[in-house]
Amino acid sequence: MLKGKKILLGISGSIAAYKSAVLVRLLIKAGADVKVIMTPASTAFIGPLTLSTLSKNEVLTDLSTNDTWSNHVNLGRWADVMLLAPLSCNTLSKMAQGVCDNLLMAVYLSATCPVVVAPAMDEDMWIHPSTKENILKIQTQGNQVLEVNKGELASGLFGEGRMAEPEEIIQWLQSFFTKQHQFQGKKVLITAGPTHEPIDPVRFIGNRSSGKMGIAIANEFQKRGASVTLVCGPTSELIRGNYEVINVNTANEMYQACLNNFTSAEIVVMSAAIADYTVENPSTEKIKKSGEEINIVLKKTVDILSELGKSKLSNQILVGFALETTNEKANALDKLKTKNADLIVLNSLKDEGAGFGGSTNKICIFDRKGNEYLFETKDKKNVAEDILDTIYTYTNETN
Ligand code: CTP
């Protein structure tokens, strides 16, 4: 799986840098093409000569040597993946801030390839709120963070902060490259965000959905090779993906956009929080303040998921969401059945870190075959990965 893959390994100043030799050896043995960049601090922990010998490539440490300039843009474009292992506390902080004071940071900031980091530091540094904040920040910027291990640390203390073992990193890379093609060429339709139902030209009925979850799902599908169409309600989130985005405001506009794209879609994920009712007669003029009360008549919107469920073909997979506050499981299973979905992703607003607005979510997925998958609270990007893994398992078992 790693044969011919171009891996750009960035090493920063941590005692775990001694493991880089094993890591490079394993990558080369697996058939990868490896280039190494070291921060000046890391050269105190392991010699560039060891790494250049093992990688069979010159090790780069400076933006320029004598009269030669290292082209940091080309390096970031050359790689299939940039791996920072070990990632020191200091380099992590520079990543979070966008500091560009050495070759490694210049390459990181100009890299167009996916970036994965394997942090390594003492437990006290690892659990410091600043470190936690920096990790979250680089994750939300799209970087993958490998888990640290628990064990004996350089300080002699025992705790969390050990870099993932080279074998674990290799495993992660193998799974990363396998997943990259999981949905190759599949047409996927995703809805995200809230809808806004106008009351008059300046007011609307909306909800607290941010669109983060649906956008994370769209990004993950694109990463795994799918051809994505995202139908998105009003959101302030930045959509960075390189896929088709159809912006809509109302539930009816979302319905029309879904209808237009449904027949060609092989997978549909309805993560939008769509209004169940819309204003029957929105005013064309701003409604003036008058009596003590005001009555607005609402009428039901189309249940898009149910409608798509009715005309779904056997080669189409329909994934719905269920946002619940009571009888969560029973309600989710009911939606799975009545809306004729293949999978339902349940968010319970009772779970801390779940649901609207925030950057994390806690989900449980139910499928038509009676499987139930419960996940921990995670960053929405990682939740999106769990959702795609589950869809992949379901589709592969079905076919
Ligand atoms: N949904 C839809 N069209 C609507 C309302 C909801 O397609 N008009 C979809 C949502 O995108 C989600 C699923 O139906 O995938 C469940 O949405 P949810 O708000 O949890 O439930 P509702 O069906 O609206 O029912 P209730 O509000 O009574 O829980």
Side-chain angles (χ1 to χ4, degrees), residues 87-345:
L87 175 70
S88 69
C89 197
N90 190 32
T91 297
L92 165 66
S93 154
K94 289 183 193 176
M95 285 174 79
Q97 301 304 319
V99 175
C100 184
D101 66 347
N102 60 35
L103 177 65
L104 179 58
M105 287 311 301
V107 173
Y108 163 68
L109 290 167
S110 46
T112 50
C113 61
V115 177
V116 54
V117 302
M121 59 197 82
D122 254 292
E123 187 177 54
D124 294 337
M125 292 166 96
W126 176 245
I127 61 175
H128 194 282
S130 296
T131 307
K132 292 282 166 239
E133 235 171 66
N134 287 338
I135 289 282
L136 197 63
K137 192 158 176 202
I138 67 161
Q139 269 177 330
T140 26
Q141 288 169 345
N143 302 292
Q144 300 275 342
V145 179
L146 299 188
E147 280 183 21
V148 294
N149 288 334
K150 216 174 184 171
E152 200 180 322
L153 300 163
S155 58
L157 296 172
F158 185 91
E160 274 190 0
R162 278 174 70 93
M163 184 177 88
E165 292 303 321
E167 292 77 7
E168 290 171 323
I169 297 176
I170 297 287
Q171 243 176 37
W172 187 91
L173 286 170
Q174 281 168 338
S175 136
F176 169 80
F177 285 116
T178 309
K179 284 182 181 179
Q180 249 189 348
H181 302 289
Q182 268 180 350
F183 294 99
Q184 195 66 44
K186 290 253 181 231
K187 286 201 182 301
V188 182
L189 172 65
I190 298 155
T191 65
T195 57
H196 286 181
E197 307 303 319
I199 297 171
D200 69 12
V202 291
R203 303 173 177 104
F204 60 83
I205 299 174
N207 60 65
R208 296 186 203 281
S209 168
S210 63
K212 279 186 188 133
M213 192 64 254
I215 294 168
I217 293 170
N219 292 344
E220 191 59 30
F221 265 115
Q222 188 206 2
K223 257 176 55 189
R224 299 195 194 184
S227 154
V228 174
T229 299
L230 175 68
V231 179
C232 196
T235 175
S236 54
E237 290 299 306
L238 205 60
I239 303 175
R240 289 213 188 87
N242 183 21
Y243 44 73
E244 184 188 12
V245 180
I246 303 172
N247 292 302
V248 296
N249 281 305
T250 64
N252 189 45
E253 286 170 12
M254 190 165 273
Y255 178 44
Q256 296 308 325
C258 287
L259 279 188
N260 292 343
N261 290 279
F262 181 57
T263 28
S264 59
E266 289 155 90
I267 300 171
V268 180
V269 183
M270 298 290 300
S271 62
I274 305 157
D276 291 331
Y277 293 89
T278 189
V279 178
E280 185 161 48
N281 288 310
S283 169
T284 49
E285 305 298 335
K286 183 181 172 220
I287 299 171
K288 300 299 284 179
K289 184 163 49 191
S290 52
E292 288 303 310
E293 282 180 4
I294 182 168
N295 291 308
I296 298 170
V297 180
L298 303 179
K299 63 172 185 194
K300 232 184 188 156
T301 55
V302 174
D303 188 314
I304 306 173
L305 180 59
S306 293
E307 283 306 304
L308 302 184
K310 281 179 201 157
S311 52
K312 186 181 77 169
L313 298 174
S314 60
N315 66 336
Q316 289 180 306
I317 301 291
L318 204 50
V319 184
F321 271 64
L323 182 70
E324 307 295 340
T325 53
T326 50
N327 294 328
E328 293 91 337
K329 182 173 173 178
N331 286 337
L333 288 174
D334 186 55
K335 283 175 188 170
L336 178 72
K337 202 168 152 205
T338 54
K339 299 191 186 215
N340 197 25
D342 296 278
L343 300 112
I344 279 279
V345 181

